[in-house]
Amino acid sequence: ALTVQPSVPFWDCGEFIAVSYSLGVPHPPGAPFFIILGRIATLLPIAENIAKRVNLISAFVSALTVMFLYLITVRLILRWKPEPRTLVDKLAVYGAPIVGALTLAFSDTFWFNAVEAEVYATSLFLMSFAIWLGMVWFEKADKIESDRLILLIAYVIGLSIGVHLLSILTIFTLALIVYFRFRERIDLKSFTIMGVIAVGIFFLIYKVIIFWIPSMLDDMPAVPLIIAIAVSYGIYYAYQHRKRILFTFLMGVFLVFLGYTTYALIIIRANDRPAINENAPDNLVAFVKYLEREQYGEQPSPFKRRWSQEPTHQENYQKYSSDWDFFIRYQLNHMYLRYFLWNFVRRAGDIQDAPVAFIKAESGWGKASEFPNKYFALPLLVGLFGLYYHYRKDWKMFLSYLALFIVTGLGLAVYLNMPEPQPRERDYVFVGSFFAFAIWVGIGVSGLIELVAEAIKTEIRKVYAIAVLGVSIFVVPFNMLVQNWDDHDRSGNYVPWDYSYNLLQSCEKDAILFTNGDNDTFPLWYLQVVEGVRRDVRVVNLSLLNTDWYILQLKHEEPYGAKKVPISLSDNIIRRLGLVQWEPRDVSIPVSREVYEKFGIKDTSIINQGKITFRMPNTIQFGEIKAIRVQDIMVRDIIETNKWERPIYFAVTVSPDNFIGLDEYLRMEGLAYRVVPFKNPKGSPTFIHEDIMRQCLFNEPEGFYREPRYGFKFRNLDNPNVHFFETDRNLMQNYRNAFLKLAIYYYENNRDTSKVVEVLDRMESKIPNDVLPMDYRLRYDVARLYEIVGARDKFMKIAKEIEPIALEQINRDPMNIYGEYNPYVILVNLYEMMGEYQKAMVSRKL
């Protein structure tokens, strides 16, 4: 709770918080039970804002998960130490599991999930709850009342479907626990039967209950009715005739389905057309497509690893000699084992694809991305010893938890079949596997205590046992707590909220704002839906603009009174849209004289053209066939149908290949590029609206405004005690780009050197380089600007800071000699400007 994000985080969290507050419909396959929990949290006065309240759900359920891991480990150790009477035995049974539980609590992935409003913390909690119930059942299985625990497990699994499907994977561990409870002697036949039953139950839940029954309700409604009657009668019959196993099985099926009925929320709310209504699953056909994640494409066969046809994926596949090579090196090693070792050895840094650092991180990461954390691989070593010790002491339960470890680790790596590259790290997917290994950490410490006690027969063994436990707590979880605190403490991080607010406040009233991905869309949705900020702006996500349901919503709906997005295409055409074969060609959009006057254009040569003309490129290529996407068609249609009546913007985070060729007609205003009816004069790199840019960068509100108001917030960007993630740091480039363009504009247009220095100084004061380091090449541009306008002392300070960084770049990559910004050129120019001509000559020769 102390380290939870104080407001909206990046990625899916903004969407989940918004739909929790409004009971909306999130992206497929949805998380209705999580949304219900989130809605309850929004009503409780547990934090100062809605986002933090929903974030705190993850903190709370994560604490419960740690508790359940402790209780599970205790029960596992009690299997071979059933009556702990001596102090040593009590330390081994009740003390050692503390180490495993807190190791999970302070591990990298678990802690990351625990401080934001995502589904993975809640999913792991339900998984741990189900396994703990299984352990309690194991002890009470001789009593008929224990069947209630089986039924509760079934209901928990049913509820978990409404969060994430991770908990379904516990079926295999629970099946082994049940099997070993009733079979003293293990034989191949019975073990095979158990395996078939476990797979059958998994198939029953995953395929029949989750997908088939909803689809049959639409295609063959009589079939689900017959199934419901048959199950109901079966329950009645089994109860009347005391058929214990049949009754428990059928009631379990019923309770799984009962828990699953949280998904009714999706259809109910979709029919009410909330502001966020992804896929619009307001009927059973759309609902089944929603569950099956149809908009993301079909799940590829696990036996074909290099399946994606996307050009970037195809390019990366060439690095591997075969599907097997790709699976071993990328999907298994890079996308699972690397994450596993992050948590129990050490993560080298927080940049994308960061490797494992066993002792010391590789040099050259830079202050912002390198983690100084050191575990000395102790969690891994203790866990591996615990794995061995568990096998030696209780191989049956060991196999049960080994199944959990493998299915939620290696099994998921096989099933997910991830292509390369991924847009973000996916370690959160495998947290169930890390949970299982943390149990072995606790068992490992218990084993160490027992070994010490066996080696020392005298009374002093108590002291040694206490010492082993104390040292284990100190060198494993306590060390992890200390090491990981700073880079998991989000309590001062307001970057997602502020950046989203600044992007919305870059737009005029009733604007249409094209965004690209999760991080420039979901936090904006949060601000609009929850905090009521700039609800007049229609955020148009370009990725979703390839889907018919989203286009129809933009065309017909007015969330919170916002104006409809102007679209000329009929609904029938929209539903049939797909890739269109396209050769690059010139496209024109009319511009009236009144529009030119509105933008202050007086040049008659421009006005007489009466249109803008741009070359619209193709964006997709399959062999010889070139095509454009649905989103390209729609961007052009929206701009043309709008007839310049409402301002239209692209967020600065949108890639230029989504501009449909409008690059020359995009003027920077704040954090957005506005589509204007005149070309960028002479291709100037500072095609900006000076007044708007200055207001955005210099007017900083104390609170925030819900209505249009230029002025950016830069909270805590100058605070060295706040950890900024790679996503945060990358976004700083957009802020700095805005400052630099304004500074260059003043130099080029006004020759006002004082304003240039003022803008650069404000950039440094709001986003200090020693807190959020700037790329040395961009820093070089800042230094040159200071030198050009005569701020010699500031130039010299920056130049001396750049010199060692450029030299380090040369030492690491001596062949990096290409481009205007290669380190050799930078050093030559800096030395010449510094007056150190001897160094400049040496660098020039190099």
Side-chain angles (χ1 to χ4, degrees):
L2 292 174
T3 59
V4 79
Q5 187 111 16
S7 186
V8 61
F10 278 129
W11 302 104
D12 295 348
C13 303
E15 183 196 39
F16 280 128
I17 298 167
V19 297
S20 294
Y21 179 78
S22 62
L23 291 183
V25 179
H27 63 278
F33 184 54
F34 180 82
I35 292 170
I36 292 169
L37 293 175
R39 176 58 180 159
I40 293 170
T42 66
L43 302 173
L44 301 176
I46 55 177
E48 61 274 17
N49 65 71
I50 296 297
K52 188 173 182 180
R53 293 177 190 181
V54 184
N55 289 338
L56 280 169
I57 290 178
S58 294
F60 178 66
V61 297
S62 294
L64 292 178
T65 303
V66 173
M67 178 189 75
F68 282 126
L69 188 142
Y70 172 81
L71 296 176
I72 290 167
T73 311
V74 167
R75 279 184 156 79
L76 288 172
I77 298 171
L78 283 171
R79 291 264 299 154
W80 64 85
K81 297 185 80 69
E83 296 181 356
R85 294 176 179 174
T86 67
L87 176 62
V88 172
D89 287 347
K90 289 177 181 178
L91 289 174
V93 174
Y94 302 115
I98 293 173
V99 181
L102 295 183
T103 295
L104 178 73
F106 307 133
S107 61
D108 182 66
T109 300
F110 183 84
W111 197 341
F112 185 90
N113 290 343
V115 292
E116 65 176 20
E118 251 281 16
V119 297
Y120 299 98
T122 305
S123 178
L124 187 63
F125 155 67
L126 292 170
M127 187 193 85
S128 66
F129 185 31
I131 294 174
W132 176 74
L133 287 172
M135 294 299 297
V136 175
W137 170 88
F138 189 92
E139 297 171 5
K140 301 180 178 181
D142 291 333
K143 300 177 182 178
I144 195 168
E145 291 82 5
S146 67
D147 292 356
R148 297 173 183 173
L149 294 169
I150 297 291
L151 299 181
L152 181 54
I153 289 171
Y155 185 59
V156 169
I157 290 175
L159 286 176
S160 73
I161 297 169
V163 180
H164 193 270
L165 296 179
L166 178 67
S167 293
I168 298 179
L169 299 177
T170 60
I171 288 170
F172 302 102
T173 292
L174 293 170
L176 283 167
I177 289 174
V178 172
Y179 174 74
F180 289 131
R181 181 63 178 80
F182 293 119
R183 299 288 300 191
E184 286 296 327
R185 296 181 61 188
I186 313 303
D187 58 85
L188 181 61
K189 180 181 176 181
S190 64
F191 193 82
T192 303
I193 292 172
M194 179 277 302
V196 171
I197 291 173
V199 171
I201 293 173
F202 179 83
F203 182 83
L204 174 65
I205 296 173
Y206 185 65
K207 284 295 185 183
V208 177
I209 293 179
I210 296 178
F211 296 113
W212 286 5
I213 289 179
S215 64
M216 286 188 292
L217 281 170
D218 184 70
D219 297 337
M220 297 174 288
V223 175
L225 180 61
I226 293 170
I227 293 174
I229 293 171
V231 171
S232 300
Y233 177 76
I235 292 171
Y236 172 77
Y237 173 85
Y239 181 78
Q240 290 294 325
H241 294 82
R242 298 296 186 264
K243 304 288 185 181
R244 180 183 178 185
I245 295 177
L246 179 62
F247 176 81
T248 304
F249 173 73
L250 292 176
M251 274 299 293
V253 171
F254 168 74
L255 287 168
V256 169
F257 186 77
L258 185 64
Y260 175 55
T261 57
T262 59
Y263 260 98
L265 176 77
I266 298 296
I267 294 183
I268 292 168
R269 294 300 298 155
N271 276 277
D272 201 42
R273 296 184 177 178
I276 300 175
N277 187 15
E278 294 225 37
N279 288 60
D282 52 9
N283 59 71
L284 288 170
V285 174
F287 178 65
V288 172
K289 292 179 180 178
Y290 178 84
L291 289 174
E292 293 177 343
R293 297 164 52 94
E294 188 177 274
Q295 80 176 45
Y296 302 121
E298 294 184 10
Q299 173 72 30
S301 166
F303 302 106
K304 182 173 176 56
R305 311 314 300 178
R306 296 180 295 177
W307 55 271
S308 175
Q309 297 302 309
E310 290 192 19
T312 53
H313 296 156
Q314 286 288 323
E315 182 180 345
N316 278 288
Y317 288 154
Q318 304 309 311
K319 298 187 295 187
Y320 306 94
S321 60
S322 64
D323 276 13
W324 183 249
D325 182 38
F326 176 65
F327 171 71
I328 295 295
R329 289 170 53 200
Y330 182 74
Q331 295 182 328
L332 179 59
N333 179 58
H334 191 75
M335 295 305 290
Y336 170 65
L337 290 178
R338 180 172 62 101
Y339 294 145
F340 173 76
L341 294 174
W342 272 7
N343 284 272
F344 300 104
V345 175
R346 179 188 172 191
R347 180 177 180 173
D350 72 345
I351 68 170
Q352 184 80 9
D353 299 315
V356 177
F358 283 88
I359 299 297
K360 184 180 186 301
E362 296 177 12
S363 62
W365 286 73
K367 175 185 172 184
S369 59
E370 183 175 337
F371 282 2
N373 309 347
K374 294 181 177 66
Y375 308 160
F376 305 102
L378 291 174
L380 176 69
L381 296 175
V382 174
L384 289 174
F385 173 69
L387 182 152
Y388 161 75
Y389 199 77
H390 195 193
Y391 169 75
R392 201 182 83 177
K393 286 291 189 179
D394 186 5
W395 66 269
K396 293 179 180 179
M397 277 298 177
F398 166 76
L399 286 181
S400 301
Y401 284 85
L402 181 66
L404 178 67
F405 179 71
I406 291 174
V407 169
T408 57
L410 175 62
L412 280 177
V414 173
Y415 173 75
L416 293 172
N417 205 351
M418 297 185 211
E420 181 185 7
Q422 290 290 306
R424 63 179 292 198
E425 300 289 10
R426 303 295 189 188
D427 52 308
Y428 51 82
V429 173
F430 303 105
V431 71
S433 182
F434 311 151
F435 175 91
F437 192 80
I439 291 174
W440 288 324
V441 172
I443 292 175
V445 174
S446 178
L448 289 173
I449 291 172
E450 290 186 0
L451 291 177
V452 167
E454 289 172 5
I456 302 172
K457 300 297 183 182
T458 61
E459 189 66 20
I460 200 173
R461 68 180 187 163
K462 294 179 182 178
V463 177
Y464 279 94
I466 294 171
V468 169
L469 179 59
V471 170
S472 298
I473 291 174
F474 183 78
V475 301
V476 180
F478 181 76
N479 179 59
M480 292 172 71
L481 167 65
V482 173
Q483 297 288 333
N484 287 346
W485 182 285
D486 58 347
D487 41 84
H488 287 79
D489 180 9
R490 303 196 202 179
S491 59
N493 189 323
Y494 293 91
V495 172
W497 198 103
D498 288 1
Y499 189 85
S500 305
Y501 175 82
N502 297 343
L503 178 53
L504 285 171
Q505 291 293 25
S506 298
C507 304
E508 286 189 1
K509 185 172 173 55
D510 297 325
I512 296 167
L513 173 63
F514 291 115
T515 59
N516 193 47
D518 294 355
N519 288 338
D520 60 5
T521 303
F522 291 158
L524 274 63
W525 286 359
Y526 163 79
L527 283 174
Q528 291 182 320
V529 171
V530 179
E531 308 222 15
V533 173
R534 296 305 308 275
R535 287 177 168 176
D536 59 293
V537 176
R538 290 305 298 266
V539 176
V540 179
N541 180 277
L542 292 170
S543 300
L544 296 178
L545 201 58
N546 291 295
T547 62
D548 58 350
W549 59 267
Y550 185 65
I551 299 169
L552 292 169
Q553 287 180 3
L554 295 173
K555 180 181 177 183
H556 295 296
E557 296 180 10
E558 298 178 315
Y560 305 109
K563 293 180 179 179
K564 299 174 183 177
V565 175
I567 294 172
S568 67
L569 303 179
S570 70
D571 291 3
N572 286 334
I573 290 177
I574 289 170
R575 292 189 181 97
R576 296 197 303 269
L577 280 175
L579 291 177
V580 174
Q581 193 165 345
W582 184 268
E583 289 290 338
R585 68 192 71 165
D586 288 342
V587 172
S588 296
I589 295 178
V591 183
S592 68
R593 183 175 293 271
E594 290 73 23
V595 170
Y596 283 124
E597 291 175 355
K598 174 183 171 183
F599 279 89
I601 301 300
K602 298 178 181 179
D603 189 334
T604 54
S605 63
I606 297 176
I607 295 173
N608 290 338
Q609 291 177 8
K611 61 184 179 181
I612 63 170
T613 302
F614 55 95
R615 192 160 188 81
M616 191 168 172
N618 59 285
T619 49
I620 298 288
Q621 188 161 354
F622 299 98
E624 299 297 318
I625 300 175
K626 299 175 182 177
I628 54 173
R629 303 159 294 190
V630 173
Q631 71 177 67
D632 304 316
I633 298 169
M634 293 312 305
V635 168
R636 176 188 171 184
D637 183 79
I638 290 169
I639 293 172
E640 195 163 7
T641 307
N642 181 56
K643 297 179 180 177
W644 306 96
E645 292 176 2
R646 292 160 63 186
I648 295 180
Y649 301 84
F650 288 89
V652 293
T653 45
V654 173
S655 173
D657 60 10
N658 292 318
F659 291 162
I660 69 166
L662 284 166
D663 309 56
E664 290 184 303
Y665 296 94
L666 297 178
R667 182 177 67 187
M668 191 173 188
E669 300 181 6
L671 291 177
Y673 294 114
R674 182 172 183 172
V675 182
V676 294
F678 54 93
K679 279 188 176 183
N680 178 349
K682 301 178 182 178
S684 170
T686 57
F687 189 30
I688 65 172
H689 191 299
E690 181 266 335
D691 182 52
I692 291 175
M693 293 292 285
R694 185 170 184 87
Q695 288 186 64
C696 286
L697 297 175
F698 281 81
N699 297 345
E700 187 172 0
E702 291 186 7
F704 67 92
Y705 298 96
R706 292 183 171 87
E707 69 281 358
R709 186 75 170 262
Y710 294 125
F712 284 179
K713 296 182 72 66
F714 300 98
R715 282 182 292 180
N716 270 359
L717 299 184
D718 58 350
N719 187 343
N721 297 318
V722 175
H723 177 74
F724 298 101
F725 297 95
E726 183 182 20
T727 302
D728 305 326
R729 299 194 301 269
N730 288 344
L731 288 174
M732 294 307 109
Q733 173 72 10
N734 297 324
Y735 284 142
R736 285 166 168 154
N737 187 44
F739 278 109
L740 282 172
K741 286 198 173 188
L742 181 60
I744 295 170
Y745 175 89
Y746 283 137
Y747 176 73
E748 289 183 343
N749 291 274
N750 303 325
R751 298 287 174 174
D752 191 334
T753 58
S754 63
K755 282 190 174 181
V756 174
V757 173
E758 178 191 26
V759 172
L760 295 179
D761 285 353
R762 181 167 176 83
M763 176 178 72
E764 179 61 21
S765 69
K766 290 300 174 186
I767 318 171
N769 182 68
D770 59 353
V771 175
L772 283 155
M774 191 186 307
D775 185 279
Y776 77 99
R777 291 161 294 191
L778 188 63
R779 192 103 167 111
Y780 164 66
D781 284 338
V782 174
R784 285 200 303 174
L785 265 175
Y786 272 128
E787 172 66 9
I788 289 170
V789 297
R792 181 72 182 174
D793 55 337
K794 295 178 179 180
F795 160 77
M796 290 296 293
K797 178 179 181 296
I798 298 174
K800 289 176 181 177
E801 292 171 352
I802 295 173
E803 181 183 13
I805 300 174
L807 288 171
E808 182 185 355
Q809 292 291 325
I810 291 172
N811 290 333
R812 190 184 318 147
D813 185 9
M815 297 307 294
N816 181 14
I817 58 175
Y818 301 102
E820 179 186 354
Y821 286 92
N822 80 67
Y824 295 99
V825 173
I826 287 175
L827 280 177
V828 168
N829 292 340
L830 280 179
Y831 288 144
E832 288 181 346
M833 286 186 284
M834 293 166 71
E836 299 187 13
Y837 298 107
Q838 187 64 36
K839 286 185 177 180
M841 288 176 62
V842 172
S843 299
R844 192 176 295 280
K845 288 179 181 178
L846 288 173

